[in-house]
Amino acid sequence: MVRRERKEVTIADVAQRAGVAPSTVSRVLNGHSGTPETRGAVLAAVEALGFSPDSIARSLRSRETRTVGLQVIDIANPLFAAVTRGAERVLRQGGYTLLLANSDGDRAVERHLLTTLASRPVDGLLLSLGDESDTEVAAQVGALRVPVVLLDRNFAVPATDVALSDHRSGVRDAVRYLLDLGHRRIGFLGGPDTLRPGRERRRAFDEMMRERGVEPDPALVRTGSLSAAFGVRETAALLDLPEPPTALLAGGNQLGTGALETIRRRGLRIPDDLSLVICDDIDAARLNDPPITVVARDVEALGRAAAELLLETMTGRRPSGGGRVELGTHLVVRASCRRL
Amino acid sequence: MVRRERKEVTIADVAQRAGVAPSTVSRVLNGHSGTPETRGAVLAAVEALGFSPDSIARSLRSRETRTVGLQVIDIANPLFAAVTRGAERVLRQGGYTLLLANSDGDRAVERHLLTTLASRPVDGLLLSLGDESDTEVAAQVGALRVPVVLLDRNFAVPATDVALSDHRSGVRDAVRYLLDLGHRRIGFLGGPDTLRPGRERRRAFDEMMRERGVEPDPALVRTGSLSAAFGVRETAALLDLPEPPTALLAGGNQLGTGALETIRRRGLRIPDDLSLVICDDIDAARLNDPPITVVARDVEALGRAAAELLLETMTGRRPSGGGRVELGTHLVVRASCRRL
DNA sequence: CTGTTAGCGCGTTCAT
DNA sequence: ATGAACGCGCTAACAG
């Protein structure tokens, strides 16, 4: 272990140099005190010595760390990367630092994480856990002593705030759009039912199909994972069906890249051989030839909104719990769907 | 501010319940002590009371935070996201938590960041700063009291370790490949000269051209920014030249997406109208139709390597400074370049 | 091996 | 408005 030497310059040194008591230095630095004279002396000493308060010692007394934990399933997923970027910015501007934890969707990691984070190093938490059906994790979240904001999750935990995407409206628009183009055999790729985005998209898909009098064919609905590998495999399976779909809705960006990969590999053309819509506007969709129609949302704004929600409760402007933001999704029509 | 209540259960409570002294509890928990009897009593009390040590208090004494700061220019850039993912994993497995800071390439933010981080909340730092020519930032880095690993940067700071990519070999291969296909007018899009990746790629480009007796046309070399917007604009400018390039090498993934965007917008075909090579293997390149030839590298491994370097010095296995890893880059030939 | 004592550096009482 | 004393929770040093 690195054994670092003692703090080079402490508040006591500043006090001595300024000819005042340590407590006075503390007060000046925290703005509780005012005589211009002593202020000047203290600040001069601070400057001369290059003093900067020890954040650990400060935290021990104040019981605040000015740190917020953010847990995501995979920071390399552009979705989470954008959320992180938005949250980090707002938190930094609010004087907080971000502690990042990547769970890889591993429950054991998430449990360990929550245990660690409960031992005080953070003032608040932004969570987008990997499995809403994990009751143990839910219990841990419920037992946390710090404010929590759930990111697009719907856990059975009462006192948390939530920042959500309104997946349903965008997916409904997408399905309606495909139906209007004459598609009836529409394939659906979705994440696990234990995660809100997957449930909402799936539900919106079923709803809109039925509203138009089209009963979704169970053989065309493939859910269970958000991975690109799942997208690759299930798209291939769908295409191998005796009656393959004429259109495909990928309910997740990695499912979308997986679908694209299979489509490429088989030499199929979009939209002639298959129409495609992807949820979340990623580079690979926008820059595709032809550009892919997507269900877009401002993911970075979601991160910002979540961070703002958390800041409000951490700074006492609002009690924790019950807070809720929901950001819209909308269909961006490009050129990946053909009229039947 | 949130004023959190005092710690619910402390080491003293455990000591009392176990009938031992607080220091004994501490020793048991840190493995310094051993009588099976006392161990059992202490652990039972810990279990019964649900005690978990306060990390802040522990840090104040031990002068370790078990936290590492990672600064990147933009976490939403898939490159940095992958580095982060790799680093986080290794650090977590090593018992460290990651503090993430996004600088947006803003020097003021970076300076502020280094000041904050110097006030002790981290045991080590992983930095990929935005401008190697910023002497003030360099001075700050040099003054840090914790071990530092530079990520693909070459600062004039002696005692730091570095984790680098060998951009040159990959770019040389790419240029040689284009020359072998008969291209002579090769455009080059590059980042700023104040960042190692930009310098190395540019240098490799010039070198290989000259080795083959082709003097690079200054009009075809556009460097200065790594942004997609710069890629969009400069690609357009290159195409508007009286004698436009027959091939384009984009020295950065965002420059590559920018180039793709302009190519799409103008309705040009790859590789018939323009051959293209992109540095870094992103989804948009791999999934493009036709798939784009890239200079690939394992960015996640770079993050892992940097984290391992840092762990070595933080745990005292190696003195800080002089450590260096360099990971390879290689050309992945796909279908975006035509023979002239 | 264990208990006692003494801080780590800061903020916050309580006096003055 | 300022100084003195104390304590946040834990671990290292010193005895025994």
Side-chain angles (χ1 to χ4, degrees):
Chain A
M1 300 299 146
V2 172
R3 177 99 8 257
R4 264 184 276 156
E5 63 282 9
R6 295 180 43 176
K7 184 121 206 299
E8 55 281 8
V9 36
T10 77
I11 208 171
D13 302 326
V14 176
Q16 186 171 11
R17 172 146 185 152
V20 299
S23 50
T24 302
V25 176
S26 170
R27 279 187 280 251
V28 167
L29 262 38
N30 293 287
H32 300 318
S33 190
T35 302
E37 195 171 341
T38 53
R39 271 191 73 80
V42 168
L43 293 177
V46 165
E47 186 69 19
L49 268 38
F51 168 77
S52 86
D54 183 314
S55 60
I56 301 290
R58 173 177 282 186
S59 290
L60 185 61
R61 279 256 4 141
S62 67
R63 312 201 63 76
E64 302 186 327
T65 59
R66 295 238 142 218
T67 297
V68 165
L70 167 64
Q71 170 272 329
V72 295
I73 295 175
D74 178 13
I75 186 68
N77 182 330
L79 178 77
F80 289 117
V83 166
T84 302
R85 184 181 149 91
E88 198 269 355
R89 169 177 301 214
V90 168
L91 291 171
R92 176 158 40 77
Q93 289 172 348
Y96 286 77
T97 310
L98 194 67
L99 217 55
L100 179 72
N102 209 63
S103 70
D104 281 323
D106 185 331
R107 278 194 279 275
V109 171
E110 292 183 354
R111 286 176 197 167
H112 178 71
L113 200 72
L114 289 170
T115 311
T116 309
L117 262 26
S119 86
R120 185 130 96 85
V122 297
D123 290 347
L125 242 21
L126 260 22
L127 301 175
S128 84
L129 297 157
D131 182 0
E132 295 172 0
S133 68
D134 188 328
T135 52
E136 186 172 331
V137 162
Q140 281 185 287
V141 172
L144 289 170
R145 321 287 293 175
V146 294
V148 173
V149 174
L150 262 26
L151 277 159
D152 220 349
R153 295 292 181 269
N154 183 21
F155 268 84
V157 178
T160 61
D161 297 333
V162 289
L164 309 172
S165 280
D166 173 23
H167 301 281
R168 292 179 59 203
S169 82
V171 168
R172 284 175 59 90
D173 289 348
V175 175
R176 185 187 299 115
Y177 170 69
L178 289 171
L179 289 168
D180 285 345
L181 286 178
H183 293 276
R184 289 299 173 269
R185 293 193 61 73
I186 304 175
F188 179 80
L189 257 35
D193 269 351
T194 54
L195 250 30
R196 181 177 184 280
R199 276 199 314 276
E200 295 288 303
R201 288 172 179 146
R202 164 81 185 275
R203 182 170 153 201
F205 175 77
D206 287 348
E207 267 180 13
M208 183 46 76
M209 292 285 274
R210 292 195 177 116
E211 281 181 23
R212 291 300 194 88
V214 184
E215 184 60 26
D217 180 348
L220 297 186
V221 175
R222 308 293 178 115
T223 65
S225 161
L226 279 167
S227 72
F230 185 81
V232 167
R233 196 172 63 237
E234 297 302 324
T235 301
L238 286 174
L239 292 172
D240 286 337
L241 250 30
E243 277 190 278
T246 59
L248 180 59
L249 175 56
N253 69 71
Q254 313 211 95
L255 292 174
T257 58
L260 270 177
E261 192 170 323
T262 293
I263 291 167
R264 282 271 173 288
R265 210 182 276 171
R266 299 205 169 193
L268 299 177
R269 285 159 313 162
I270 295 172
D272 309 276
D273 300 317
L274 184 67
S275 292
L276 179 65
V277 177
I278 295 180
C279 287
D280 284 336
D281 194 6
I282 52 175
D283 282 343
R286 189 172 48 87
L287 297 173
N288 194 72
D289 182 17
I292 309 288
T293 293
V294 298
V295 175
R297 54 174 168 157
D298 188 341
V299 194
E300 197 169 322
L302 187 68
R304 286 199 303 269
E308 273 155 13
L309 224 39
L310 191 58
L311 276 178
E312 282 178 17
T313 78
M314 288 192 305
T315 56
R317 277 177 285 159
R318 190 174 54 72
S320 180
R324 174 192 166 98
V325 226
E326 183 161 15
L327 272 59
T329 59
H330 61 281
L331 186 69
V332 176
V333 174
R334 298 210 264 242
S336 61
C337 302
R338 73 160 179 150
R339 181 173 297 281
L340 280 194
Chain B
M1 301 302 141
V2 172
R3 177 98 7 255
R4 262 184 279 157
E5 64 283 5
R6 294 181 45 176
K7 184 114 207 300
E8 55 282 7
V9 38
T10 77
I11 208 171
D13 303 326
V14 176
Q16 185 171 14
R17 172 148 184 152
V20 298
S23 52
T24 301
V25 175
S26 170
R27 278 186 284 249
V28 168
L29 261 38
N30 293 287
H32 299 316
S33 191
T35 302
E37 196 171 339
T38 53
R39 271 190 74 80
V42 168
L43 294 177
V46 165
E47 186 69 20
L49 269 39
F51 169 78
S52 86
D54 183 314
S55 61
I56 302 290
R58 173 178 281 186
S59 291
L60 184 61
R61 271 302 307 186
S62 67
R63 313 202 63 75
E64 299 187 329
T65 58
R66 295 239 141 216
T67 296
V68 165
L70 166 64
Q71 171 271 328
V72 295
I73 295 175
D74 178 12
I75 187 66
N77 183 329
L79 177 76
F80 290 116
V83 167
T84 301
R85 184 182 148 90
E88 199 269 354
R89 169 177 300 212
V90 167
L91 290 172
R92 178 157 38 76
Q93 289 171 349
Y96 286 77
T97 310
L98 193 68
L99 218 54
L100 179 73
N102 209 63
S103 71
D104 281 324
D106 184 330
R107 279 194 278 276
V109 171
E110 292 183 353
R111 287 177 196 166
H112 178 71
L113 199 71
L114 289 170
T115 312
T116 309
L117 262 26
S119 85
R120 184 130 95 84
V122 296
D123 290 346
L125 241 22
L126 260 21
L127 301 174
S128 86
L129 297 157
D131 182 359
E132 295 172 1
S133 69
D134 188 329
T135 53
E136 187 173 329
V137 163
Q140 282 186 285
V141 172
L144 289 170
R145 320 289 290 177
V146 294
V148 172
V149 175
L150 262 26
L151 277 159
D152 219 350
R153 294 292 181 270
N154 182 21
F155 268 84
V157 179
T160 61
D161 298 334
V162 288
L164 309 172
S165 281
D166 173 22
H167 301 283
R168 292 179 59 202
S169 80
V171 168
R172 284 175 60 90
D173 290 349
V175 175
R176 185 187 299 114
Y177 169 70
L178 289 171
L179 289 168
D180 285 347
L181 287 177
H183 293 276
R184 289 300 173 269
R185 293 192 62 72
I186 303 175
F188 178 81
L189 257 34
D193 269 351
T194 55
L195 250 30
R196 182 177 183 278
R199 276 199 313 277
E200 295 290 301
R201 288 172 179 145
R202 165 79 185 275
R203 183 171 152 200
F205 174 78
D206 286 350
E207 267 180 13
M208 183 48 76
M209 292 285 274
R210 292 195 176 116
E211 280 180 25
R212 291 299 194 89
V214 183
E215 184 60 27
D217 180 347
L220 296 186
V221 174
R222 308 292 177 115
T223 63
S225 161
L226 280 167
S227 72
F230 185 81
V232 167
R233 196 171 64 237
E234 296 303 323
T235 301
L238 287 173
L239 293 171
D240 286 337
L241 250 29
E243 277 191 278
T246 59
L248 181 59
L249 174 55
N253 69 70
Q254 312 210 96
L255 292 174
T257 58
L260 269 177
E261 190 169 325
T262 292
I263 291 167
R264 281 272 172 288
R265 211 181 276 170
R266 298 203 171 193
L268 300 177
R269 285 159 314 161
I270 295 173
D272 309 277
D273 300 317
L274 184 67
S275 293
L276 180 65
V277 177
I278 294 180
C279 287
D280 283 337
D281 193 7
I282 52 175
D283 283 343
R286 189 173 47 88
L287 297 173
N288 194 72
D289 182 18
I292 310 287
T293 294
V294 298
V295 174
R297 53 173 168 158
D298 189 342
V299 195
E300 197 168 323
L302 187 68
R304 287 199 303 269
E308 273 155 12
L309 224 39
L310 192 58
L311 277 177
E312 282 178 17
T313 77
M314 288 192 306
T315 56
R317 277 176 286 159
R318 190 175 53 73
S320 180
R324 175 193 165 98
V325 253
E326 183 161 14
L327 272 60
T329 59
H330 61 281
L331 187 68
V332 176
V333 175
R334 297 208 267 243
S336 61
C337 302
R338 73 159 179 148
R339 181 173 295 280
L340 279 193

